[in-house]
Amino acid sequence: MKSVSTVRSACLALVTALTLAACGSGDEDLSQQDIQFLSHVDQSRFYQRQGELKASTQEARSAIELQPDQIEPYFLIIDNLLTAGDAVNAERQLRQILARITAPQTSADITNRAQLIFAEAALKQGQNDEALAALANLDDPAEDTKLKASLLKGQIHLNAGNPELARTAFLEAKSLNPSAVEALVGLSKVSLTQDNRPQADEYLRQAEDIDQNHAELWLWKAQLAHLEERWQAAEDGYIRALEDIGQYDIMTARKYATITALIQVLRAQRKFSEAYVYEEILAKSPPGKIRNNLIAADEALRAGNLAEAERYLQEILAQTPSHEQSTLMLGLIRFRQGRPEEAQDLLAPIASMGNSEIATKMLAATMLRMGNPEGAQSTLAKLQSDDSDPEILTLVAIAALENGDFETGEALMEKALAINPDNHELRLRYAGYLIQRGEYDRALAQAGLVRKHAPDLAEARHSLITAYAESGDIKTAVQTADRWIKEQPNNVQALLSRGNLAARAGNTEQARSYFERARQTSPQSIAPILALGRLALVQGDRSEAGNQFRRAVEQAPDNGQALQGLISVQERTETQEFMRGLLDRHPQATGPRLILLEFALLDDDADTVNELTASLLERSNANTPAPASHLVAEIYGNVVANLKRSDRSSLASSVLERAQVLFPENERIQLLTAEQAFANEDREQAMTLLASTRQQFPNSPGPDVTEAGLLESEADYHGAAELYEKALAKLSRPDIVSGYVRNLQRSGRSNDALEFLEAELGDHPNNLQLRLHLALLQQSTGKEQGAMSNYEVLLAAMPDNTVVLNNLAWLYHKVDDPRAVKLAQRAYELSPDNAAIADTYGWIMLQAGNHQESVPVLEKAHELQPDSEEIARHLAEAYRVVGMNSAARRILEKFGEPG
């Protein structure tokens, strides 16, 4: 609420405006519209002086609605943007306005005012040359414009590290107005940069004599005290400066920076409670929220959680639609999601401005994805140089490769390497990708280039060894590793590579010897210890594996591989006890706290849960989320899911309620809440929650997938298929593809399912999961020749996949292909406790004439799945063939048939 004096001042300003308007400037009176226009303009200026930028901007917009051809309201809005710190939008809007006005409207005053704005906007963006160029365009400026220009020029030169030029500019400003405090403060700053502290103090004294309450003076005194660690003086100065700087009704960039500095000073004095108050102010302000969301989006993007990253970015863009960094990140996400048209819509406006090389590169990559190489080429041609940094090209190349668009991805990767042939890290990443693709010769060529130009780079040798080994040339891999060790006997990576080759060949003692040498060579590295632990697991020695993993965890308590290895070989109570001791020895470690939190949640240990949750979610400062916050949310979500699966619904509900309080905006928690409502037979509440989550995360497939699962449980397969289809439009993921195909089949649309999978596989021929879905569906619908062909492709890529081995063996058996027995045997050796695999192997052996050998395998299949009539019939047939008729009768009688 405004004070009485403020309201009276506002009324007085309005009366003055009306009075001036009534006087007129010619023979004709002003119209009512003219009077209203002048009133809005005057009110806008008044609110601007009061620091009420929102109200000032609204009044200016009202004036524009009345007389859109008048330029003054536009300038008021731009001034407000500059005050707020939004230099990019201020400059953009000014250019748009100047492009619209005609020559008669452009007076020298307007031109000079525009150039000052351009200069200040460029200064705020760190574009010093552009700022000076704008000031050089001033045309016969008035005295007040000269003063503003001199002050700006001084700041520009000071920022650019040109103290003498800055001094000249500030002295010029002082000569124009000897009472200009800003000029004296500027001269004081220049003197300090030149290590002339007495002169800096003298200028400060002169400024105090003129106006000891000036905000610029107090801010500089605070910054000076801050620099010299005079904390109390700095605190007093920042607080006094904020009395003026903080008057604005929004969080301006200057206000944000001043409060941030004050927080640092308060923390240095251990005034944590006072600092916390200001931290909360920043965290809840628009700049604070933008910064927090950017940090969270970056973490989510690095973790591969595109939907969560997108949500954070959408929050920023809803608040600041022109936020360039968020737009670029969202464009990258759209590209990775396989939505290049949307990526292009986001990137094109930024690229068209011509000042973002990153946006231009990303736009070119998007055009390549859309099959528009000419557009991509012309877009890249706009770059002033073609020897620029290739990181963005690399990112989008990786995104293309992940999406199965190998042609685009490889083209981008080759382009990036052509731009910078000495980018060895990029070349080795490309070699790793080629190894995964089975392109071993190309991978060896890429790694060989790195080896040639950077012979001491260990990763190049490791890549060569991996490529040789994966291609089956173990002999050359071993020779390469042996040469490496001979040249560098104490290289840990060389010893580990050779040990891995020995383990691969089954020579465990030799492998252990190399791993031990690596450990002794580098006692601080946990890689050799992890290798020893994994080797012990391969040998079935869980006790030794546990010793090694405990040693690794003691050395690196937050290492995920070490923690996972230890959990896999220990009983839960032993793990719990060990983690408590580990936390005592390493109280800041995150890993042990997360594990103990999960145990405490499962045990309903409220005190431990409270203590661990509070410590994990504690922020180092108000602007940065706790590093483990997303991990804690994941733990809560996993525990809820685990408790539901184990029929502990009451505790699951309790944990979920707590999670809702801690993570009210976490998508997974919201979806679990909807599932809980559905389980409680509150279908209406479940659907309401899903609708709310869908609105909050419009581009996430999560709400659609969850609702599809609920409909599927109600046997509404048609509705479930529609929702899975919607989810696929947002993100193609194996579980979503599986759900869509499954529900198409169940709703009687097998042909649609086949057409979908064939089309998807046509677009992504190297997607093994899609090919497996198609093969399974072809087999179940009688298209066995097509299924056989796809299984054969899959077998070449995944020779130990038991589903592929088993199903291909069965199809071979049906066409009397002798390869059936060996494939079925391999599947059985890999998964002897799978009833279906045992049944396939036993039945194929029986049909191939291996009668006696088939009996124990079919008996095991029946033992594993005694309720399967098909397996029982196969076993009964085997009993009959070997003359065990009574056993056959007993088996069949269980299913109501005479023996």
Side-chain angles (χ1 to χ4, degrees), residues 12 49 75 121 136 143 161 174 177 188 335 379 479 498 504 560 572 594 597 617 669 705 710 720 809 816 843:
L12 180 60
R49 290 191 297 272
F75 272 122
E143 288 299 304
K174 184 171 180 291
N177 182 359
S188 177
F335 188 94
T379 299
Q479 290 173 347
R498 186 63 182 89
R504 185 174 185 147
R572 178 180 153 174
L594 289 170
L597 174 62
L617 295 182
I669 298 302
V705 172
L710 300 181
D816 296 323
W843 181 251

Side-chain angles (χ1 to χ4, degrees), residues 607-809:
D607 291 340
T608 303
V609 166
N610 291 338
E611 179 184 350
L612 290 170
T613 300
S615 68
L616 286 163
L617 295 182
E618 184 178 4
R619 295 183 175 209
S620 58
N621 63 68
N623 293 325
T624 307
S629 59
H630 66 286
L631 296 173
V632 177
E634 188 176 336
I635 291 288
Y636 271 81
N638 290 341
V639 167
V640 170
N642 290 338
L643 290 171
K644 286 182 176 180
R645 282 195 295 269
S646 57
D647 293 326
R648 300 171 65 189
S649 56
S650 177
L651 181 55
S653 298
S654 175
V655 174
L656 185 56
E657 286 176 8
R658 182 179 177 85
Q660 291 167 14
V661 174
L662 291 171
F663 311 105
E665 297 183 354
N666 183 278
E667 182 187 12
R668 189 183 181 199
I669 298 302
Q670 292 182 26
L671 295 177
L672 286 169
T673 305
E675 290 178 354
Q676 180 72 26
F678 190 83
N680 293 338
E681 299 183 356
D682 191 347
R683 195 178 193 283
E684 182 179 354
Q685 174 66 6
M687 294 305 165
T688 300
L689 287 167
L690 285 170
S692 173
T693 308
R694 189 175 284 111
Q695 185 176 10
Q696 189 175 353
F697 305 95
N699 296 304
S700 169
D704 297 323
V705 172
T706 300
E707 187 174 350
L710 300 181
L711 294 184
E712 190 173 355
S713 69
E714 295 179 320
D716 182 1
Y717 305 125
H718 179 76
E722 286 185 342
L723 284 163
Y724 276 121
E725 187 175 18
K726 286 182 180 179
L728 280 170
K730 298 171 182 175
L731 179 65
S732 181
R733 204 172 62 198
D735 63 306
I736 303 177
V737 171
S738 179
Y740 181 50
V741 171
R742 183 176 62 250
N743 281 277
L744 283 176
Q745 285 180 274
R746 290 178 175 179
S747 60
R749 299 167 59 194
S750 294
N751 287 335
D752 289 343
L754 281 169
E755 288 178 6
F756 164 75
L757 287 172
E758 287 167 352
E760 285 290 300
L761 194 60
D763 291 337
H764 308 288
N766 294 288
N767 189 314
L768 299 178
Q769 192 67 41
L770 276 175
R771 192 174 294 277
L772 180 57
H773 279 303
L774 179 58
L776 290 168
L777 184 56
Q778 287 172 326
Q779 185 176 1
S780 68
T781 55
K783 299 182 183 297
E784 294 182 344
Q785 189 58 48
M788 193 182 301
S789 298
N790 280 313
Y791 282 135
E792 287 170 344
V793 174
L794 289 164
L795 184 63
M798 42 176 60
D800 292 337
N801 186 294
T802 54
V803 173
V804 173
L805 287 164
N806 181 76
N807 292 4
L808 185 55

Side-chain angles (χ1 to χ4, degrees), residues 100-117:
R100 282 165 44 193
I101 63 177
T102 59
Q105 293 176 288
T106 310
S107 64
D109 287 343
I110 289 176
T111 300
N112 289 340
R113 189 172 179 184
Q115 295 306 322
L116 283 177
I117 291 172

